Amino acid sequence: MATRRTQILEAAARVIARRGIRGLRVEELAAEAGVSTALIYYYFKDRAGILRHTLEFINDRAERYTTDRDPDAPPLTAREELEETLLLELQDVVEVRENSAAWGELRASAVFDELLREDLARATLVWTQEVAALLGQVQPMAPASALAASGERLTALLEGLSMRWLGGGIQVDHARTLLLGAIEAELAGLR
């Protein structure tokens, strides 16, 4: 069973995904989480704390659903791991849709919120570096600067594809096909 803190963070991700950051009201969050507003303030101090911890929660949840593997499954090749890690961000399941929508809302709000912008920039840098490291496992002789640029392009493309998919502009299967094509192009450029 989820802890109260996790329960609040899950609710915050849902509310942000549905209503955006401007629609995040502590009273509504408390109702969504089934807790008192006092408990929210106890855990997170203020609205900025809620946002910061929700961003961390979203990142941790994405890390979980993109890296958890069946321990009995055969190991993946470096290329398969790269593809699977990125493609798992485009799954038509509630958790991924909610995470992607909340991430998009946080990114949009960061334009006007310097603290959120800094937190999001750090999270984006870590994600880009993780993808660059996966690319480096596939193309170990590629220069670090080329790997970093490829990681940045792939994560930016994935964000854009995710927003188009969530907004109904493209189907998830098409988004996945486009992403696989981009992975192939990036790997070709690194050879």
Side-chain angles (χ1 to χ4, degrees):
M1 183 165 172
T3 66
R4 290 282 192 205
R5 186 177 189 283
T6 301
Q7 191 176 340
I8 294 166
L9 291 169
E10 288 171 344
R14 278 193 306 274
V15 171
I16 291 170
R18 275 196 320 257
R19 301 177 58 83
I21 288 181
R22 291 180 187 213
L24 179 66
R25 304 284 182 263
V26 175
E27 296 77 19
E28 182 181 349
L29 175 55
E32 180 78 23
V35 301
S36 70
T37 57
L39 190 60
I40 291 173
Y41 286 117
Y42 170 78
Y43 282 118
F44 305 107
K45 307 296 181 231
D46 56 20
R47 191 168 189 279
I50 295 167
L51 294 177
R52 182 173 293 111
H53 288 281
T54 302
L55 176 61
E56 290 171 11
F57 171 78
I58 289 168
N59 283 331
D60 291 346
R61 189 162 67 171
E63 175 82 16
R64 234 180 2 268
Y65 65 66
T66 59
T67 60
D68 280 353
R69 305 238 179 347
D70 179 354
D72 296 328
L76 300 174
T77 66
R79 168 96 182 233
E80 290 169 336
E81 184 176 354
L82 169 67
E83 290 176 352
E84 184 173 298
T85 297
L86 293 174
L87 289 171
L88 286 173
E89 291 284 357
L90 294 169
Q91 299 179 73
D92 198 5
V93 296
V94 172
E95 187 176 55
V96 175
R97 291 176 73 90
E98 190 176 274
N99 247 33
S100 296
W103 177 268
E105 290 294 334
L106 288 162
R107 180 159 306 288
S109 292
V111 171
F112 306 104
D113 183 333
E114 189 173 336
L115 289 175
L116 185 55
R117 189 176 326 132
E118 291 171 9
D119 290 340
L120 200 58
R122 276 191 296 278
T124 300
L125 178 61
V126 168
W127 184 32
T128 301
Q129 290 171 338
E130 289 170 354
V131 172
L134 290 170
L135 287 160
Q137 291 175 12
V138 180
Q139 294 295 338
M141 300 306 292
S145 60
L147 293 169
S150 289
E152 193 161 0
R153 283 189 295 270
L154 285 173
T155 55
L157 175 66
L158 181 50
E159 282 185 15
L161 289 172
S162 180
M163 290 300 102
R164 285 191 181 184
W165 159 54
L166 291 171
I170 59 175
Q171 297 295 315
V172 70
D173 291 338
H174 184 59
R176 292 170 69 91
T177 299
L178 292 172
L179 183 59
L180 284 171
I183 292 169
E184 178 58 39
E186 289 296 336
L187 290 173
L190 291 170
R191 287 187 191 106

